[in-house]
Amino acid sequence: MSSIIYQGITEEQIRQGCVNNDRKYQQMLYNMFSAKMFSVCLRYANEYNSAQDLLQEGFVKVFKNIEKFRGEGSFEGWVRRIFVNTAIEHYRKQVNLYALHDSDVKGFEHYEDNALETLKHQDVMKMIQKLSDGYRTVFNLYVVEGFSHKEIGDMMGISEGTSKSQLARARYLLQKMITEHADVRHQTQNG
Amino acid sequence: MDQKMKRFDRNIEQMMNESEVAPPFGMWNRISAQLDAEIAAVPPPAASPIPQRALYGFIAGALIIGASLITAYVVNESNKQDKVSAAKAIPATTVTVAATTTQNPAPVTETVQTQPVAAVVEQATKTIARKTSKPVAMAAPATEAVEETKQEAKAEQAISLPAHAEVLVPNHQVAENNVAAVSEPYFFPAVDNITVPETKTEKPVTVAKTTKSEKSIFANSDAPRIKFRPKKHRSFSYGKIISKR
């Protein structure tokens, strides 16, 4: 049983309206998921304009394939997966990933857990965007989306070792950026 | 160290999943415009000039007409086959023809078995060809020899006549009693066969001598004459048998 979610219209009705190519219901669906999906696009994109392109491409795919949703799992999860796949397709053509020699790196040694608490999510998003395309994609897929290294290897066309080394390097760089940002803020507050 | 990394991953995941960033204003217009462009880019299915219902009706009608034509053809062919088989299955009927000659007044019986029309026509044409190709000088002794052999055969038949053998009947009685047999078209080519040499005027007198007896036979006969008219436009056919009454 679908709950009433938007202006007295259930999610099922909105889906059916999108299947019928009704532009009013398509806009309702956009309003429901645009903020969450744009956040996903920002994590996978290296800049703001690229994130907009991903958002546009992702919604067009959703509207084209919405009749294929069979009700297995949540509709939001299905939409999110389309956006992730769109981002992977977009960057897989550009990125040549290779295994790093320092795959056994254990993270930045001076990183403290409380350093992350001092940051807003927009700041963390910008730090993730600063990572190279390969590091960022593997980090998002493993840490945020929850895929295993084998699944990431299959999706990206790389080996598990490459995925692990890319993740370790991304995690090290991100912890280093967070620690440096926390130190700057601490010095600013003290000074 | 692993616990520290796991905590870091979990914190990042929680922070990212909770984050929502509003897209810039006008984003929906871009998406809507792209959807319109893709819909316009897809060509609509070409409308058929004939309505689909009419097309189905036309196809169904064509099928029905075709089936009826095929059925009619099959039935017609089967009827033809039945007629041919029936003609083949007609029992051999015997017709007695009394041949009277001036030299031999004794009646001569000639037994003719009914055959299919095509076979009779073929036989008749063969006989005509053979007779016309024969030299005139050889015709007289040959016909005499035939007459002698016929008489001998009849004499032998009369001697060894079985209990259910046919009785010799005069020609006019045959015509009266067996009207159906006389009127059967496939019986008559034999008559036409003999009249061919009579029509030739350039034959010498010897022909007239040999055919005199036969002429007298068939001049008295009531059998209608049959002409073979070969068709002009069809090959391998000897035309229809037209009987004149």
Side-chain angles (χ1 to χ4, degrees), chain A residues 19 59-69 78 82:
Chain A
V19 168
F59 267 113
V60 170
K61 281 186 180 178
V62 166
F63 294 139
K64 278 185 178 178
N65 299 288
I66 196 165
E67 72 273 5
K68 296 178 183 175
F69 177 68
W78 181 79
I82 285 181

Side-chain angles (χ1 to χ4, degrees), chain A residues 21 23 26-27 30 35-36 38-39 43 52-53 56 64 80 106 111 113 116 121 124 143 171, chain B residues 1 4-5 7-9 11 15-17 19-21 23-24 27-28 30 32 34 36 38-39:
Chain A
N21 222 6
R23 196 52 49 84
Q26 287 176 342
Q27 189 170 8
Y30 170 81
K36 288 181 181 177
F38 191 57
S39 174
R43 275 195 287 115
Q52 291 183 41
D53 293 340
Q56 180 176 342
K64 278 185 178 178
R80 185 188 184 97
K106 298 297 181 184
Y111 173 75
D113 288 338
L116 190 61
H121 65 86
V124 176
V143 174
R171 191 185 281 130
Chain B
M1 197 69 178
K4 195 175 182 179
M5 281 194 294
R7 278 200 301 274
F8 172 77
D9 291 349
N11 290 333
M15 189 177 285
M16 292 297 104
N17 284 332
S19 69
E20 290 184 6
V21 181
M27 196 68 209
W28 167 246
R30 284 175 57 181
S32 179
Q34 186 176 352
D36 290 337
E38 292 194 359
I39 290 170

Side-chain angles (χ1 to χ4, degrees), chain B residues 62-78:
Chain B
L63 287 174
I64 291 168
I65 290 169
S68 61
L69 284 174
I70 290 169
T71 307
Y73 176 76
V74 169
V75 168
N76 190 23
E77 286 296 314
S78 64

Side-chain angles (χ1 to χ4, degrees), chain B residues 93-97 108-113 154 157 166 187:
Chain B
T93 58
T94 58
V95 175
T96 307
V97 177
V108 176
T109 57
E110 193 171 301
T111 303
V112 179
Q113 288 190 339
K154 301 307 170 186
Q157 282 185 356
E166 296 175 2
F187 172 71

Side-chain angles (χ1 to χ4, degrees), chain B residues 60-232:
Chain B
L63 287 174
I64 291 168
I65 290 169
S68 61
L69 284 174
I70 290 169
T71 307
Y73 176 76
V74 169
V75 168
N76 190 23
E77 286 296 314
S78 64
N79 287 339
K80 283 182 180 177
Q81 291 287 338
D82 292 342
K83 285 180 181 177
V84 170
S85 60
K88 286 181 179 177
I90 291 172
T93 58
T94 58
V95 175
T96 307
V97 177
T100 57
T101 58
T102 55
Q103 296 173 354
N104 189 6
V108 176
T109 57
E110 193 171 301
T111 303
V112 179
Q113 288 190 339
T114 57
Q115 295 175 354
V117 176
V120 170
V121 170
E122 187 178 355
Q123 197 177 21
T125 53
K126 281 179 182 177
T127 310
I128 291 165
R130 191 172 63 245
K131 286 208 169 188
T132 52
S133 63
K134 277 183 181 177
V136 178
M138 294 294 289
T143 50
E144 288 176 358
V146 169
E147 288 292 329
E148 289 174 0
T149 52
K150 280 182 180 178
Q151 289 175 7
E152 288 173 5
K154 301 307 170 186
E156 287 176 1
Q157 282 185 356
I159 291 165
S160 61
L161 202 61
H164 300 287
E166 296 175 2
V167 179
L168 299 179
V169 178
N171 193 21
H172 65 276
Q173 290 184 3
V174 172
E176 288 174 357
N177 295 330
N178 196 2
V179 176
V182 170
S183 63
E184 283 177 356
Y186 46 80
F187 172 71
F188 299 107
V191 175
D192 191 37
N193 189 13
I194 297 169
T195 57
V196 171
E198 289 292 323
T199 57
K200 294 185 177 180
T201 56
E202 69 272 11
K203 297 294 180 184
V205 183
T206 54
V207 177
K209 282 182 181 177
T210 55
T211 57
K212 195 170 185 179
S213 60
E214 296 172 358
K215 188 179 178 182
S216 62
I217 292 168
F218 293 104
N220 297 327
S221 173
D222 294 332
R225 297 174 65 185
I226 295 175
K227 283 186 179 179
F228 288 97
R229 293 181 179 174
K231 285 188 176 178
K232 294 179 180 178

